[in-house]
Amino acid sequence: MYRYDEFDHAFVRDRVAQFRDQVARRLSGELTEEQFKPLRLMNGVYLQLHAYMLRIAIPYGTLSGRQMRKLAYIARTYDKGYGHFTTRQNLQFNWPRLEDLPDILAELAEVEMHAIQTSGNCIRNVTTDHFAGAAADEVDDPRPWAEIIRQWSSLHPEFSFLPRKFKVAVTGAARDRAAIRVHDIGLELRRGPGGGLGFRVFVGGGQGRTPMLAKEIRDFVPEQELLAYLEAIMRVYNRYGRRDNKYKARVKILVHERGLEEIREQVEAEFAELRGGALDVPVEAREAISAYFAPPSFEDLPRTSRILEEARLRDRDLALWVARNSHPHKQPGYVSVTISLKPIGGVPGDATADQMDKVAELAERFSFDEIRVSHEQNLILPHVRKDDLPALHAELKAVGLATPNAGFITDIIACPGLDYCALANARSIPVAQRLSERFADTRRQSEIGDLAIKISGCINACGHHHVGHIGILGVDRKGEEFYQITLGGAPGGENGGEDAAIGEIVGKGFSTDEVVDAVETIVDTYLKLRETPQESFLAAYRRLGKKPFQEALYGR
Ligand code: HEM
Ligand code: SF4
C-alpha cells in the first residue's frame, strides 16, 4: 500500500498542530460554534444530534493491520468502544469529545491517516472496488490511479471551494463493485482500441433528493491524460455549477440543466488546453506509484485445496460461509473474503474495538497484512489461501464475525438515521435490525438469494436507498416516522455499471410497525412469481414490473 513520504508526514503533523490551536480557541470561548464550524469541517468533525462525530478517511478503503489496531485503540480510549464503517469506505466515530479530537488526529497521523477532505465542498475520499488488486475479473489494479487522484485532489487550491462536495469512484473491472454510476465522476479502467490502458468516464451521478445515474462523457481517456481530463471536468463544474441553491449545486444538476452535449464540449475545450502539459502522468511516475501496490508474494498453489474440501464436508457452517463470503481471486489457490459486519440483529457497519484488533491480527496472519472496507459496510481480507479458510473461519466465528450473509437479504446498508443524525426524519438502524431478525434463518436467506436492502433516514440518501433492490426511505408524516419503499434499484453490476438503476416508488409509505411486514410481502411475492430459483429478485422485478408487488402490498 501507499506509504507517506517526508512531505506527507510533515503536512499531516502541521495540520494536527493547527487544529489543536483551533480547538483550544473554541474551548476557551474565543471562537463561537459558528466560527469554529468551517475549521472543524476541514478536519472531518461534524456536529450530530448528541455529540461531535469524526469521519476518518480510509483512502480507497485500504488499511493495514497497524492502522486497524490504531482505530481499535482510538475506539477504546476516546470513544465508546466501537466504530462505524461507512458506504464511502470510511470510518466514523460517533462519540468523541471535542477536547480529545486533536489527540485522536495525532494518533492517526502516527499511522499515516487523517480526516482531511472527509467533509466540505471539496473532492472527497476516492473510492474503489474493495477487491482491487485481487479480483479475478480485473482488467488492471485501479488503486494506483485512486492514489494518483488522491494526491492530485488533496488540497487542490482551485477545487477546495467547489459549489458542493464532489465524489469520485474508480473500478478496474467491467463488473462494477464501486457504484461508479452514482458518483459525481465514475471511472472504469479499460483497454483502448490500441490495447493501452485508459478510462471510460461517467459524470453527473448521485443520490440525495434528485437521484441520477452518471452519463458517459467519454468512452476512453488514455491513462496518462486522466488528470488533465479530470481537471477539465472540475474546471467546468467549478465555473458553471450553481452556487445560488445548495440543492442544485451538485454536478449532476449542471449536466441535467445544460445537457450532456454542452458539458462535453466545454470539457473537451478545457482538455485541449490541458493535455500534454504538467498534468500528464509520466510512465515513470505511474510506475513509482504502482510499485506501492505490487502484488504480495503469492505461493504457487493448486486451484483447489484438499484441506478446504475435506473441512467443508465436515462442517456445514464453514461450507455455507465459504459459498457466500469468499470471492474469486486472480491467483490460483487464493480467494478474497468478506468479513460481514451484519450479524443478525446488529448495527450495519459497526465493529467493536476487540473485533478490529482481531481483524488486524487475522489480516497479518492470513492476508499479507491487507484489509479493505467495502461500500456495503463490510470488511474484506483480499488475499487468503484456500487452505487457510477453515482456520480463518474458526477465528472469525469466535468473535462474532463469521455471519455467512454477503449479498443476502440481511446484508443491509443503513445510514445512522435518527439515532445519531441531526438531519434525519426517521430511524434506519432499528429497521435494519428488525429486518435482519425477521430473515435470520439462513436456509430462507439462501432460498431468497441475492437481495440488497438499503435504508436511509432522510432524502439525503446516505444509506443508498435509491440503489437498493429494495430501498427504504424514512419520511416524516405529521411528526411520525414513515417509510417509503422503492424497488428495482441497483448500484452497478456487469458492464461498467450498465445495470445500475434508480429504484421506483412502489406506493404509499408504511409506519414503523408495518414496514417489516411490507418487505416480507415483497419478498414472498418474488418467491411466488420467480421463473426459476436462479432468477434473482432484481431480474424478476425487471421482468414483472411493480404491479404484482403493488397488488400484494395494497390489494389493488
Ligand atoms: C451522520 C452525519 C451525516 C450527515 C449530516 C450527512 C449529510 C449528508 C447530506 C446533506 C447529503 C446530501 C448531499 C447532496 O445531495 O448534495 C449526504 C449524502 C451522502 N452521504 Fe451523508 N451524512 C452523514 C452520514 C453519512 C454516513 C454515515 C454515510 C455512509 C454510511 C454517508 C454517506 C453518504 C452518501 C453515500 C451520500 C450520497 C452522495 C450523493 O449525494 O450522491 N453519510 N450526506
Ligand atoms: S440519509 Fe439523512 S438521516 Fe441518514 S445519515 Fe444521511 S443525512 Fe442523516
Side-chain angles (χ1 to χ4, degrees):
M1 63 195 288
Y2 180 74
R3 301 302 312 264
Y4 278 14
D5 61 17
E6 233 347 275
F7 173 88
D8 299 328
H9 277 294
F11 173 75
V12 171
R13 267 197 313 268
D14 283 355
R15 271 296 280 262
V16 174
Q18 207 178 43
F19 190 56
R20 196 177 288 286
D21 177 60
Q22 291 161 352
V23 169
R25 285 190 286 147
R26 171 71 192 110
L27 288 169
S28 73
E30 193 186 325
L31 293 177
T32 63
E33 189 56 41
E34 218 29 50
Q35 289 167 326
F36 181 55
K37 187 175 173 186
L39 305 174
R40 65 170 162 77
L41 287 179
M42 301 248 258
N43 293 286
V45 180
Y46 289 73
L47 190 55
Q48 293 195 273
L49 265 186
H50 313 289
Y52 285 105
M53 179 271 274
L54 174 66
R55 182 181 291 160
I56 295 165
I58 301 178
Y60 31 92
T62 301
L63 285 170
S64 65
R66 182 163 166 259
Q67 290 174 322
M68 185 65 108
R69 276 206 181 83
K70 183 62 92 178
L71 296 175
Y73 172 80
I74 293 170
R76 200 175 278 125
T77 314
Y78 300 102
D79 207 281
K80 293 194 177 178
Y82 69 95
H84 181 71
F85 290 95
T86 78
T87 51
R88 297 208 75 260
Q89 302 184 307
N90 288 328
L91 179 88
Q92 294 185 178
F93 284 122
N94 286 313
W95 305 100
R97 294 178 340 150
L98 180 56
E99 48 271 46
D100 289 335
L101 280 164
D103 289 342
I104 298 176
L105 293 179
E107 297 275 4
L108 289 171
E110 276 179 22
V111 293
E112 305 183 4
M113 295 181 80
H114 60 68
I116 299 164
Q117 288 188 208
T118 61
S119 173
N121 294 335
C122 53
I123 301 175
R124 302 284 187 90
N125 189 38
V126 179
T127 54
T128 191
D129 183 355
H130 42 265
F131 298 141
D137 59 355
E138 183 168 274
V139 176
D140 201 21
D141 187 347
R143 287 171 306 164
W145 284 102
E147 174 56 29
I148 289 167
I149 297 168
R150 190 188 71 81
Q151 295 192 10
W152 159 79
S153 62
S154 293
L155 304 166
H156 193 307
E158 202 176 318
F159 307 138
S160 293
F161 296 94
L162 295 165
R164 198 75 176 87
K165 59 176 156 177
F166 205 92
K167 301 179 177 179
V168 181
V170 197
T171 169
R175 186 180 171 80
D176 171 21
R177 285 173 289 258
I180 61 172
R181 298 286 303 281
V182 285
H183 279 76
D184 296 283
I185 291 181
L187 299 169
E188 180 198 339
L189 190 54
R190 51 157 53 172
R191 293 215 173 268
L197 284 169
F199 293 89
R200 182 180 183 195
V201 182
F202 294 90
V203 68
Q207 302 194 51
R209 67 184 62 224
T210 16
M212 287 183 191
L213 292 182
K215 300 176 180 66
E216 184 184 291
I217 185 164
R218 210 174 208 269
D219 68 352
F220 191 73
V221 177
E223 57 174 0
Q224 69 277 10
E225 295 184 333
L226 178 69
L227 294 187
Y229 194 77
L230 294 181
E231 182 116 345
I233 297 179
M234 297 312 298
R235 282 197 171 168
V236 171
Y237 170 53
N238 207 17
R239 191 179 312 143
Y240 299 116
R242 290 183 56 169
R243 291 173 189 266
D244 61 321
N245 181 339
K246 186 176 160 184
Y247 301 118
K248 298 195 169 169
R250 299 286 293 268
V251 71
K252 63 188 171 189
I253 304 292
L254 181 68
V255 173
H256 181 71
E257 286 184 350
R258 302 239 173 170
L260 181 64
E261 275 320 305
E262 187 190 326
I263 298 299
R264 184 182 285 138
E265 269 172 40
Q266 298 273 2
V267 169
E268 286 296 328
E270 281 290 343
F271 183 47
E273 296 287 324
L274 289 165
R275 70 198 306 187
L279 284 167
D280 270 14
V281 182
V283 176
E284 314 80 72
R286 208 261 298 128
E287 282 173 353
I289 297 289
S290 291
Y292 288 110
F293 301 94
S297 43
F298 293 122
E299 293 167 48
D300 282 328
L301 296 172
R303 248 168 223 294
T304 44
S305 151
R306 261 209 6 245
I307 299 175
L308 174 62
E309 293 316 313
E310 284 172 16
R312 249 146 93 116
L313 292 176
R314 282 195 308 272
D315 182 347
R316 211 185 147 267
D317 283 357
L318 171 71
L320 186 62
W321 178 77
V322 171
R324 233 22 239 188
N325 291 33
S326 75
H327 317 276
H329 198 288
K330 54 172 81 163
Q331 179 73 20
Y334 287 80
V335 286
S336 299
V337 167
T338 298
I339 299 176
S340 170
L341 295 183
K342 318 291 174 67
I344 298 304
V347 178
D350 273 11
T352 64
D354 290 349
Q355 289 177 328
M356 290 186 222
D357 273 337
K358 190 68 186 178
V359 171
E361 178 206 321
L362 296 174
E364 285 159 357
R365 264 172 72 194
F366 295 119
S367 184
F368 297 93
D369 195 18
E370 268 193 55
I371 304 153
R372 309 282 174 78
V373 182
S374 78
H375 92 263
E376 284 109 0
Q377 301 187 280
N378 290 315
L379 297 175
I380 308 289
L381 297 183
H383 317 293
V384 180
R385 287 171 4 142
K386 288 181 179 170
D387 287 351
D388 289 333
L389 286 173
L392 174 62
H393 179 249
E395 295 271 7
L396 288 171
K397 208 168 164 181
V399 290
L401 287 174
T403 316
N405 63 347
F408 273 161
I409 191 166
T410 57
D411 187 0
I412 298 169
I413 292 181
C415 79
L418 204 49
D419 290 286
Y420 297 96
C421 178
L423 305 177
N425 286 325
R427 278 167 291 183
S428 315
I429 293 169
V431 175
Q433 289 172 311
R434 281 162 49 219
L435 279 166
S436 159
E437 278 158 4
R438 177 71 62 92
F439 291 98
D441 179 28
T442 345
R443 216 166 314 152
R444 188 170 178 208
Q445 292 190 58
S446 298
E447 195 198 340
I448 298 165
D450 288 346
L451 208 169
I453 298 182
K454 302 182 199 265
I455 310 172
S456 305
C458 81
I459 196 62
N460 287 318
C462 304
H464 285 202
H465 68 276
H466 293 300
V467 292
H469 301 160
I470 298 177
I472 299 176
L473 164 65
V475 290
D476 176 306
R477 204 192 278 169
K478 298 191 189 118
E480 253 191 82
E481 293 170 57
F482 257 75
Y483 296 90
Q484 193 178 71
I485 295 186
T486 49
L487 296 178
E494 305 297 338
N495 199 13
E498 224 63 85
D499 280 353
I502 303 292
E504 301 171 302
I505 296 170
V506 69
K508 69 177 174 34
F510 297 91
S511 69
T512 307
D513 289 340
E514 296 162 345
V515 65
V516 175
D517 290 339
V519 170
E520 192 166 31
T521 301
I522 291 165
V523 173
D524 288 343
T525 306
Y526 152 66
L527 290 175
K528 203 165 77 202
L529 297 180
R530 69 182 175 189
E531 279 182 327
T532 65
Q534 283 71 42
E535 189 183 36
S536 68
F537 176 83
L538 192 60
Y541 180 77
R542 286 183 178 175
R543 178 173 58 81
L544 293 161
K546 61 181 163 185
K547 197 139 182 295
F549 297 94
Q550 286 172 323
E551 281 167 5
L553 285 170
Y554 308 109
R556 58 177 158 80

